[in-house]
């Protein structure tokens, strides 16, 4: 049977590796105080949802339109509004699970069914909170053997520059896109066609080059900045001071992955891999997802991507033995071994199966033997 496009089977070796990674990541989140929650895979369809146009939709028996979960931050905010209206804040939550999208970008290998693990830090909006998320993201990747580089930006900085210039909405979003992609030729073509000219064109060309170490923030201070853009830059400077700016790359043309991101955003790239492995950002109470909710920030990493790039620190699987009776199975498992039980008295069939599985030992009671010495009499319990 052919699988639907954008889905895949996971076979035992990869499954074991993924579960190991999932456990390590969840344990790291817990050690920082992030408590686990589980969210329904089915949601009420909402035209205002940031992924509504890409979500799988279905109609239940009562005629209500539902959607498969396509993104976690909105779901966590819904949970907080209903279950934790009074906090305590800051509220630290972690989640993990499947997401589904009708179409997917190349960043996830065009998967339409995929797994994310992530955290949300809700109820506070300070540089300290943002620095905590940066530190947690790097420490989590290091826990599973991944060395990564963080890129940090602030969509509010770019928003402010474009809004202060009084640009029409379609042009603003085009500029967001080309600046986020660092596409010099596309930016030049767009600026020429829009006939912006003058100081704004020079500023946007400079923003397109504002990518690098701490010196980027110093260079940005020389631009003609309004109050909002200057405040966004100040916030980045404070986060960098708390976290350590030498460990960050700054991208002041970074745009929003989701429209609700209003504060700082960040991405992580693993060494040797061009594709993003982790990403997150801040949303404020007056914007998008947090309407009627609380300010917060968080990040998520893709388990499929992590499986690809994580250093192979998976501990060796315990030896598998063939248990000839119940007592033998219990004894082997008490020693930390994997015990598979017999399903037949046919010794030849057991020997053939053991060869295919790579099983070399048998156990009856507390006595171990070799598969080569297995006989019909031994096979009978």
């Amino acid at each position: 049977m052919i699988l639907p496009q954008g889905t895949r089977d996971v076979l035992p070796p990869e499954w074991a590796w993924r579960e190991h990674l999932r456990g390590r990541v969840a344990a790291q989140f817990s050690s920082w105080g992030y408590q686990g929650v589980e969210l329904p895979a089915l949601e009420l369809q909402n035209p205002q949802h940031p992924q509504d146009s890409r979500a799988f939709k279905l109609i239940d028996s009562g005629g209500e339109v539902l959607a498969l979960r396509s993104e976690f931050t909105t779901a966590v905010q819904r949970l907080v509004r209903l279950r934790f209206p009074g906090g305590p804040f800051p509220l630290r939550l972690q989640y993990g699970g499947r997401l589904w999208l009708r179409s997917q970008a190349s960043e996830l290998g065009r998967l339409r069914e995929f797994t994310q693990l992530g955290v949300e830090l809700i109820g506070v909006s300070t540089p300290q909170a943002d620095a905590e998320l940066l530190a947690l993201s790097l420490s989590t990747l290091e826990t599973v053997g991944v060395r990564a580089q963080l890129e940090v930006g602030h969509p509010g900085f770019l928003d402010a520059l474009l809004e202060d210039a009084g640009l029409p909405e379609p042009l603003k979003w085009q500029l967001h896109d080309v600046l986020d992609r660092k596409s010099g030729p596309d930016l030049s073509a767009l600026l020429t066609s829009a006939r912006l000219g003058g100081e704004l064109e020079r500023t946007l060309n400079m923003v397109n080059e504002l990518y690098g170490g701490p010196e980027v923030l110093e260079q940005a201070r020389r631009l003609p900045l309004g109050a909002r853009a200057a405040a966004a830059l100040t916030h980045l400077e404070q986060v960098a001071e708390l976290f350590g700016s030498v460990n960050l790359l700054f991208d002041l043309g970074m745009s929003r992955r989701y429209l609700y991101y209003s504060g700082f955003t960040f991405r992580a790239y693993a060494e040797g891999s061009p594709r993003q492995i982790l990403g997150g950002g801040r949303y404020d109470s007056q914007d998008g997802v947090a309407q009627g909710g609380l300010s917060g920030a968080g990040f998520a990493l893709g388990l499929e991507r992590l499986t690809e790039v994580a250093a192979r620190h998976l501990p060796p699987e315990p030896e598998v033995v063939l248990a000839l009776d119940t007592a033998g199975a219990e004894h082997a498992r008490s020693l930390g071994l994997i015990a598979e039980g017999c399903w037949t008295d046919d010794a030849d069939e057991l020997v053939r199966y053991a060869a295919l599985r790579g099983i070399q030992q048998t156990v009856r009671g507390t006595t171990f033997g070799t598969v080569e010495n297995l006989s019909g009499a031994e096979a009978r319990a």
Side-chain angles (χ1 to χ4, degrees):
M1 180 181 294
I2 299 175
L3 291 173
Q5 184 180 16
T7 65
R8 59 190 290 269
D9 295 319
V10 177
L11 301 183
E14 182 184 350
W15 182 90
W17 178 228
R18 285 176 56 168
E19 290 304 302
H20 172 74
L21 293 174
R22 188 198 300 264
R24 293 287 297 275
V25 169
Q28 181 71 359
F29 291 164
S30 294
S31 72
W32 285 57
Y34 288 79
Q35 303 175 82
V37 294
E38 187 168 332
L39 300 147
L42 284 175
E43 301 175 334
L44 297 174
Q45 188 264 341
N46 178 4
Q48 303 305 314
H49 191 282
Q51 295 281 42
D52 181 65
S53 64
R54 301 169 68 195
F56 281 102
K57 300 181 180 72
L58 58 156
I59 301 175
D60 69 8
S61 59
E64 191 163 38
V65 181
L66 305 177
L68 280 175
R69 185 178 60 217
S70 57
E71 185 268 346
F72 271 111
T73 297
T74 51
V76 172
Q77 274 283 327
R78 187 268 313 158
L79 179 143
V80 171
R81 289 194 299 270
L82 292 177
R83 308 295 184 182
F84 301 96
F89 300 111
L91 185 62
R92 291 175 171 87
L93 299 176
Q94 66 163 294
Y95 58 80
R98 294 275 180 153
L99 297 174
W100 293 266
L101 289 172
R102 293 168 55 202
S103 61
Q104 182 53 277
S106 59
E107 65 188 61
L108 286 170
R110 302 197 182 279
L111 289 175
R112 298 194 298 170
E113 180 184 32
F114 53 99
T115 302
Q116 279 190 352
L117 311 173
V119 299
E120 299 290 339
L121 177 53
I122 298 171
V124 289
S125 181
T126 64
Q128 291 90 334
D130 294 347
E132 175 179 317
L133 290 171
L134 292 178
L136 176 57
S137 65
L138 273 192
S139 70
T140 299
L141 293 175
E142 289 170 357
T143 294
V144 295
V146 174
R147 294 175 59 86
Q149 176 68 61
L150 287 176
E151 294 183 356
V152 179
H154 198 307
F157 176 82
L158 189 54
D159 278 343
L161 287 178
L162 299 179
E163 287 178 11
D164 288 348
L167 300 180
E169 286 296 317
L171 178 57
K172 282 169 54 179
W173 289 114
Q174 286 179 291
L175 287 167
H176 267 287
D177 176 60
V178 297
L179 288 166
D180 189 60
R181 292 188 286 110
K182 293 293 177 190
S183 176
D186 287 347
L187 177 62
S188 297
L190 185 57
L191 293 175
T192 299
S193 65
R195 299 179 180 178
L196 296 182
E199 186 175 71
L200 178 60
E201 183 170 333
R202 288 191 295 274
T203 297
L204 293 178
N205 277 311
M206 289 183 65
V207 168
N208 198 48
E209 301 297 324
L210 289 179
Y211 178 87
E215 69 281 358
V216 164
L217 302 182
E218 299 173 8
Q219 294 167 10
R221 280 293 177 193
R222 305 188 192 113
L223 296 174
L225 303 179
R228 283 184 56 224
L233 192 57
T234 297
H235 185 90
L236 281 182
E237 290 168 340
Q238 292 170 338
V239 171
E241 182 177 359
L242 289 164
F243 178 78
S245 60
V246 295
N247 299 313
L248 300 174
L249 288 176
F250 297 93
D251 181 359
L252 293 186
M254 186 181 290
S255 188
R256 316 167 177 217
R257 181 180 177 189
Y258 295 114
L259 291 179
Y260 54 69
Y261 282 155
S262 56
F264 98 122
T265 58
F266 63 100
R267 307 163 180 163
Y269 293 86
E271 288 185 357
S273 176
R275 296 185 295 180
Q276 178 180 325
I277 189 174
L278 175 153
R282 170 161 296 285
Y283 44 90
D284 291 327
S285 57
Q286 69 268 27
D287 294 297
V289 66
Q291 265 187 359
L294 292 157
S295 297
F299 68 83
L301 58 87
L303 186 57
E304 288 78 10
R305 183 63 46 77
L306 185 63
T307 303
E308 293 176 11
V309 304
R312 293 290 169 169
H313 290 169
L314 181 65
E317 186 178 87
E319 182 184 357
V320 181
V321 299
L322 191 61
L324 304 180
D325 60 6
T326 301
E330 292 176 352
H331 177 63
R333 290 167 189 152
S334 73
L335 298 175
L337 304 176
I338 297 172
E340 294 192 9
C342 291
W343 65 97
T344 179
D345 290 340
D346 186 330
D348 291 337
E349 183 176 349
L350 292 175
V351 169
R352 285 194 296 271
Y353 173 77
L356 291 172
R357 284 281 287 119
I359 298 174
Q360 298 179 345
Q361 287 200 89
T362 63
V363 60
R364 183 193 297 279
T366 59
T367 303
F368 288 89
T370 62
V371 170
E372 288 81 358
N373 293 330
L374 190 63
S375 68
E378 288 176 314
R380 287 190 292 272

